[in-house]
Amino acid sequence: MFKMKKQIQRIKTKLEELKILDKEFKVFGAESHKYALNAPLTIKEVRAFEGKHQVTLPKEYVAFITQMGNGGAGPYYGVQTLENALNESLVYPDSDSHNILSKPFPHTEAWACFDELDEIYKRMEAAQEAEDEELEEALFEEKYDLIGGPEHNYGILNVCHFGCGIMMFLVVTGEERGNMWTDDRMNDSGIFPFEEMKVVERITFLDWYECWLNQNLLELKIT
């Protein structure tokens, strides 16, 4: 717990430093959040959320949303609020479509279905050449049935939008609990452990956030 408190304080200091250095919002996504954090949640509010969704959120994430802010400044287009992070899509949020937090996230290794998608695209190309619109539509449905299964959204919070339909999410239930992952199914690249910012191993929420701060502080100081 002491280590986490020190990291939170370190993050606060670095965020303020980045805000001062990047007055023109040159860092990717900074123009959208302008380094402002939303008001923090209370522990009572977090516990009510956990009770409603039958889940215990990772301690690092709870520390952030109760001691830093409930979303706002952060990597890429910023950190989502706790409630918005339930949306299965941050690009096209649907209030009737929420992640099921109490069910375990099913993956422990990168998941994709490249061979199956290649086959569907070949059939789509043939359908286009044959001007068979009905078959094209059926193949589009087949594609989204293949990559869009609801089980891929179990046990996660979509905490960050990278753009181009790419989302960074925090696993809250399952073997990968506490780790950050990436969902790039929109671009047919599947679901995989977070690997941006020179990250090569599993990374937790606070380390992910601080890594973003470190990278941009370094780049701004060099330029």
Side-chain angles (χ1 to χ4, degrees):
M1 187 63 73
F2 178 70
K3 181 182 176 182
M4 194 186 306
K5 285 183 178 179
K6 284 187 68 175
Q7 187 171 19
I8 287 287
Q9 188 55 54
R10 202 166 60 235
I11 285 172
K12 287 180 179 179
T13 300
K14 290 178 180 179
L15 180 60
E16 186 59 31
E17 185 180 0
L18 184 56
K19 180 180 178 180
I20 292 169
L21 282 174
D22 190 26
K23 293 185 185 300
E24 297 179 3
F25 306 123
K26 292 180 180 179
V27 169
F28 173 62
E31 182 64 37
S32 62
H33 56 69
K34 295 181 170 59
Y35 299 107
L37 289 164
N38 299 323
L41 295 176
T42 65
I43 286 293
K44 184 177 180 180
E45 288 172 320
V46 172
R47 297 299 176 241
F49 177 93
E50 291 177 326
K52 178 181 177 181
H53 295 282
Q54 298 181 314
V55 68
T56 300
L57 299 176
K59 290 181 180 178
E60 286 193 3
Y61 179 69
V62 172
F64 183 90
I65 61 177
T66 58
Q67 297 176 42
M68 292 282 299
N70 180 26
Y76 313 119
Y77 287 103
V79 176
Q80 294 292 313
T81 64
L82 177 57
E83 196 61 38
N84 282 348
L86 280 172
N87 285 306
E88 290 179 7
S89 171
L90 299 177
V91 189
Y92 305 108
D94 180 352
S95 59
D96 295 325
S97 182
H98 286 136
N99 300 338
I100 300 174
L101 297 184
S102 60
K103 291 189 176 183
F105 177 63
H107 305 293
T108 55
E109 300 295 337
W111 174 88
C113 44
F114 298 123
D115 292 341
E116 295 93 331
L117 285 170
D118 284 345
E119 181 60 30
I120 289 174
Y121 283 133
K122 287 176 184 176
R123 291 162 63 196
M124 280 183 180
E125 188 175 344
Q128 286 176 338
E129 290 176 358
E131 298 183 351
D132 189 338
E133 293 184 4
E134 186 175 340
L135 178 56
E136 270 193 86
E137 290 181 9
L139 289 168
F140 269 114
E141 289 296 324
E142 185 176 334
K143 172 189 172 180
Y144 286 109
D145 284 344
L146 179 65
I147 67 173
E151 69 278 5
H152 299 303
N153 294 307
Y154 291 164
I156 69 169
L157 287 172
N158 282 315
V159 296
C160 180
H161 179 215
F162 180 82
C164 301
I166 304 169
M167 292 180 286
M168 312 301 171
F169 63 86
L170 172 67
V171 180
V172 301
T173 310
E175 289 186 46
E176 284 292 308
R177 184 177 187 275
N179 292 328
M180 293 295 299
W181 278 56
T182 299
D183 183 348
D184 194 12
R185 286 177 291 165
M186 186 75 76
N187 302 293
D188 299 339
S189 293
I191 299 170
F192 45 90
F194 180 81
E195 57 186 25
E196 299 291 326
M197 302 188 291
K198 299 180 181 179
V199 171
V200 294
E201 298 179 350
R202 296 294 199 270
I203 191 166
T204 60
F205 182 84
L206 288 181
D207 286 346
W208 168 77
Y209 196 97
E210 189 170 13
C211 187
W212 167 72
L213 290 168
N214 291 341
Q215 175 182 285
N216 286 291
L217 284 169
L218 179 62
E219 289 179 0
L220 287 170
K221 288 175 181 178
I222 290 174
T223 55

